[in-house]
Amino acid sequence: MSEIRTRIPTLYLVLPCYNEEEVISKTAVVVKDKLTRMADAGLITRESKALFVNDGSTDNTLRMLHDLSKQDSFYGVLSFAGNYGHQSAILAGMMEARHYADAVVTIDADLQQDIEALDDFIAAYMSGCDVVYGVRNDRKTDGFMKRATATMYYKLMHALGSSAITNSADYRLMSAKALEALSEYEESSLFLRGLIPTMGFASDVVYFDVKAREAGQSKYTVKKMMRLAIDGITSCSIRPLHIIGTLGFLTVLATLVLIVISLIDWINGKNVPGYTTMVIVMLALGGVILLSLGVIGEYVGKSYMESKHRPRYIVDSVVLRECRKREED
Ligand code: UDP
Ligand code: MG
């Protein structure tokens, strides 16, 4: 299925940035240094570039990015009109870069993900892979809570039928061909981690270390994380709806049993006090019903949002200098 590649690829790095003024300058240097070394080693072409995606930052990020791209055509900048989130930012970056690059790697702008792993990504690409997933070696740099919730989350995702790769962050290589295919997906709420494995391209995994953030704070608030988690589940599986159906069926069965028992007691003239049981049953049922409604609501809300066919993001400006359109294979 996968054929060995012989032509050296032009690599574009896509870096989503949301209020990253503390790390941009350093990141820019590190990224350029790495890609230059890779070009020297003959792994990638000299036309390889870094494309920063400004996700509606409210600090100096955009100004700094524009300064960088003015000084050096190695740096490209795509800027959103507002904050559309990390997933949209990497998608926009990939969609722009695919016109010029043979392979695109997305990596966080804080460079927590080990950039040295790029060599392995390119090696996997050369051996014929169209998708290469970066998988973190461990979660030492994460707090206990994040680690525990992440593990539970991937278990849940798999139980619900997703093929998302455990501990694969959005540090990932995609070939131009895979990106072309990705551009065909029209849903506006994208969970790339869950979606890309379902595309079925030849793929491989690269392991990398995660460092602590050098400066600034995590831009992923608990709220954004929750949103991503729920989107992840609802965008790749409707199994929760089936579970609710089963739950309803079981409840009906239990109710029938209770009715029979009550009737027998009534016939026998037993006067059951049963107040506690009543309260417990009522509360439990109420809880299950509300929870189920909530889950169904997530899907209804999602269909509603999708039915509007709104754009996933709005690009305010793109600065990419001295780029050459990709040659078709
Ligand atoms: N990010 C973004 N939009 C957002 C939140 C985050 O583009 O709304 C970017 C952020 O600038 C960073 C990457 O996504 O490059 C990962 O975010 P962060 O490092 O804050 O998350 P963490 O590493 O803590 O999971
Ligand atoms: Mg980070």
Side-chain angles (χ1 to χ4, degrees):
M1 192 168 70
S2 54
E3 237 172 79
I4 291 178
R5 292 184 165 96
T6 45
R7 196 160 54 83
I8 299 175
T10 294
L11 170 71
Y12 269 45
L13 268 190
V14 165
L15 304 104
C17 312
Y18 177 57
N19 293 345
E20 298 284 11
E21 59 180 5
E22 287 118 321
V23 299
I24 290 289
S25 319
K26 169 112 195 273
T27 299
V29 175
V30 174
V31 165
K32 172 135 197 200
D33 171 63
K34 176 64 188 165
L35 291 205
T36 310
R37 274 188 287 131
M38 287 176 78
D40 290 344
L43 295 176
I44 55 173
T45 69
R46 302 228 172 252
E47 279 156 29
S48 301
K49 286 182 197 296
L51 174 61
F52 288 93
V53 180
N54 169 44
D55 183 15
S57 301
T58 49
D59 63 358
N60 271 320
T61 301
L62 184 59
R63 202 167 319 138
M64 292 171 75
L65 291 177
H66 279 156
D67 285 347
L68 277 171
S69 69
K70 248 182 234 144
Q71 288 158 18
D72 191 340
S73 63
F74 171 80
Y75 303 108
V77 185
L78 184 155
S79 187
F80 277 171
N83 179 237
Y84 301 110
H86 175 234
Q87 296 285 302
S88 298
I90 55 182
L91 183 70
M94 290 193 295
M95 288 303 118
E96 181 65 33
R98 82 191 152 105
H99 302 302
Y100 312 100
D102 301 304
V104 178
V105 172
T106 47
I107 183 169
D108 288 351
D110 55 14
L111 291 190
Q112 279 186 273
Q113 295 143 331
D114 184 14
I115 196 165
E116 291 303 324
L118 278 181
D119 298 356
D120 299 340
F121 277 95
I122 292 299
Y125 169 81
M126 291 308 278
S127 72
C129 291
D130 283 296
V131 181
V132 187
Y133 303 99
V135 172
R136 33 197 309 172
N137 275 329
D138 56 53
R139 287 186 163 266
K140 260 186 246 148
T141 49
D142 281 346
F144 172 75
M145 270 308 281
K146 195 159 181 175
R147 222 173 333 170
T149 47
T151 314
M152 262 160 42
Y153 182 63
Y154 280 106
K155 285 229 170 83
L156 179 68
M157 290 281 285
H158 291 152
L160 293 175
S162 163
S163 40
I165 291 167
T166 306
N167 286 340
S168 68
D170 285 305
Y171 185 16
R172 185 176 41 228
L173 176 146
M174 292 186 79
S175 70
K177 186 166 73 178
L179 289 173
E180 205 62 50
L182 183 65
S183 72
E184 304 278 321
Y185 285 73
E186 284 177 355
E187 61 244 60
S188 57
S189 141
L190 272 187
F191 183 66
L192 296 169
R193 255 174 257 182
L195 177 71
I196 294 171
T198 65
M199 295 170 65
F201 282 108
S203 66
D204 202 354
V205 172
V206 160
Y207 293 92
F208 67 91
D209 292 321
V210 181
K211 290 176 269 196
R213 205 179 227 279
E214 300 211 355
Q217 278 172 0
S218 173
K219 306 298 181 296
Y220 253 103
T221 53
V222 176
K223 200 168 136 200
K224 277 187 183 167
M225 205 107 75
M226 289 284 291
R227 198 59 258 164
L228 182 71
I230 294 176
D231 273 350
I233 291 171
T234 53
S235 69
C236 71
S237 168
I238 55 166
R239 214 171 277 179
L241 295 179
H242 299 315
I243 295 175
I244 289 180
T246 317
L247 212 64
F249 180 70
L250 291 179
T251 317
V252 170
L253 275 188
T255 317
L256 284 179
V257 173
L258 270 180
I259 289 176
V260 172
I261 294 175
S262 312
L263 277 180
I264 294 173
D265 282 349
W266 181 68
I267 290 166
N268 291 339
K270 268 197 224 156
N271 203 359
V272 192
Y275 175 72
T276 324
T277 327
M278 277 285 291
V279 171
I280 291 175
V281 169
M282 263 176 55
L283 286 183
L285 273 185
V288 170
I289 290 169
L290 280 182
L291 186 72
S292 308
L293 275 180
V295 174
I296 294 169
E298 276 295 328
Y299 285 94
V300 175
K302 197 146 204 170
S303 331
Y304 173 61
M305 295 311 283
E306 291 288 347
S307 71
K308 294 185 203 235
H309 295 293
R310 288 192 179 172
R312 291 183 269 220
Y313 45 77
I314 297 166
V315 176
D316 188 51
S317 65
V318 183
V319 186
L320 260 174
R321 294 192 293 130
E322 295 167 33
C323 297
R324 211 153 48 98
K325 288 257 182 211
R326 182 172 56 87
E327 297 162 29
E328 297 295 330
D329 289 305

